[in-house]
Amino acid sequence: GALSASGQLNLTGTSSALFKAEYCSLAQSSRGAWDHVAKKLTLVVGKHGLAAGTDVVLSFVLKNACCEQAAPAVCLWASRISACGSQCAEGHCIVIQRQVFDRDYLSIPTSGEIGGSGDLYPGVRYSPNASVTWGDVAPGDLYPLRVYGSRVIRFSAAQSSWNPSADNTISITFATSVPLLTSSRLIFAGLTGTQTVSGTINATFHGSSVEGEWHKGNGSLVLSPSVPTVAGTVYVFSFMVKNSYENQEAPTLSLTFDTCSCASCTPWVNLTTVAPTSSSSTPAPTSSSSTTPVPTSSSSTTQAPTSSSST
């Protein structure tokens, strides 16, 4: 599932200098050759060799998969360890048969309390200083390439005016189970019935001005965070639309996000709406009205507009 492109990777750790990425005698040490298609890292032992019984400790960096996945089984095998070295014919050198790596099943990442309201959202993890305090970390979460699911874990919406044809500031409060980059996309949809024409509109994210793409037909706004977010921390973004000239019931509003260059694997979640306190002000949703997460269901399948932008 790793997304890293094929090429040489830098190695670190106490044993990194023992290896290189190529058989060439001039090849730089502390390198390994990564094959994206085969998901394989090849390490060539350098001129100093590797003594039997030596503990090898090294690290390298891979880019995680976009979407949630269990840790894959990781294997190690060795070939070309006889005197004939790299010149031997395939199948004629001494080899060490493939062995599955042992994995750390005891350690878990730092996280907040386990259980509680988080039972509605299995798989949620977050920073220990996050404002949303639920999660269900488990032994095995530090397995290589174990990737957490990306989820919306808190939502509410509020408006500043219910009057026909009035300018109406929509405020969205949300939190996610994973961090968002400034290249990520938040996709808010379902705000149908406005008079606001499609195009670029101004918005505010976490106190900073940003621009978003508004699509009148399905009432959707696509924007990127103005700052990188912290998993489990509550953020607010807002924007203004012009209300319908006639009365209407509140539509069903939904939110999802993209975190990678691949298609989004984050479920849509319906928002909990909050009534305005005044027709002339723009209140931020209060904590008592935005703390009830709504589990993902078949009713939250509002389609997002297509876009060529991604992370």
Side-chain angles (χ1 to χ4, degrees):
L3 300 179
S4 300
S6 297
Q8 293 191 11
L9 300 181
N10 293 323
L11 306 177
T12 58
T14 56
S15 307
S16 61
L18 298 174
F19 302 98
K20 53 187 180 179
E22 303 171 303
Y23 285 103
C24 174
S25 60
L26 299 179
Q28 185 176 345
S29 62
S30 300
R31 296 283 183 89
W34 172 253
D35 185 333
H36 170 70
V37 176
K39 307 299 184 185
K40 177 178 68 175
L41 180 69
T42 300
L43 305 174
V44 178
V45 179
K47 63 181 180 180
H48 298 295
L50 183 64
T54 301
D55 286 334
V56 175
V57 180
L58 54 84
S59 302
F60 54 93
V61 176
L62 293 175
K63 186 176 182 63
N64 281 345
C66 283
C67 299
E68 182 174 10
Q69 68 173 32
V74 180
C75 302
L76 173 71
W77 71 291
S79 65
R80 301 182 177 183
I81 61 176
S82 62
C84 59
S86 62
Q87 303 304 316
C88 65
E90 183 71 23
H92 290 78
C93 287
I94 300 172
V95 299
I96 298 176
Q97 295 301 318
R98 188 185 307 270
Q99 301 289 326
V100 178
F101 269 113
D102 291 331
R103 297 181 288 184
D104 179 1
Y105 188 72
L106 299 179
S107 300
I108 61 175
T110 301
S111 185
E113 71 179 72
I114 299 174
S117 300
D119 293 341
L120 293 173
Y121 291 94
V124 173
R125 279 82 173 182
Y126 56 91
S127 167
N129 60 357
S131 53
V132 176
T133 54
W134 56 73
D136 61 351
V137 294
D141 283 346
L142 286 184
Y143 283 179
L145 294 184
R146 165 71 174 101
V147 178
Y148 294 157
S150 55
R151 293 174 175 84
V152 174
I153 58 177
R154 177 172 176 170
F155 266 112
S156 67
Q159 67 175 8
S160 64
S161 175
W162 51 63
N163 294 324
S165 294
D167 290 337
N168 189 0
T169 298
I170 307 298
S171 299
I172 306 300
T173 299
F174 74 98
T176 58
S177 64
V178 295
L180 302 182
L181 304 177
T182 55
S183 55
S184 301
R185 298 187 311 153
L186 284 161
I187 307 167
F188 172 70
L191 197 68
T192 54
T194 73
Q195 298 183 56
T196 304
V197 298
S198 299
T200 301
I201 63 174
N202 295 322
T204 300
F205 184 95
H206 198 57
S208 299
S209 296
V210 295
E211 290 186 341
E213 276 304 310
W214 170 253
H215 300 262
K216 180 181 178 180
N218 63 354
S220 65
L221 179 70
V222 181
L223 56 80
S224 296
S226 58
V227 294
T229 69
V230 176
T233 295
V234 175
Y235 294 86
V236 177
F237 69 88
S238 60
F239 59 99
M240 182 179 291
V241 294
K242 192 175 187 63
N243 282 344
S244 171
Y245 59 86
E246 59 185 3
N247 68 300
Q248 67 173 32
E249 295 297 321
T252 298
L253 308 178
S254 300
L255 189 73
T256 189
F257 58 90
D258 290 336
T259 57
C260 286
S261 55
C262 59
S264 175
C265 46
T266 305
W268 285 87
V269 172
N270 285 353
L271 297 176
T272 302
T273 55
V274 181
T277 57
S278 168
S279 61
S280 60
S281 62
T282 308
T286 62
S287 58
S288 62
S289 61
S290 58
T291 57
T292 304
V294 181
T296 303
S297 69
S298 60
S299 63
S300 56
T301 57
T302 306
Q303 296 298 313
T306 56
S307 172
S308 60
S309 62
S310 63
T311 61

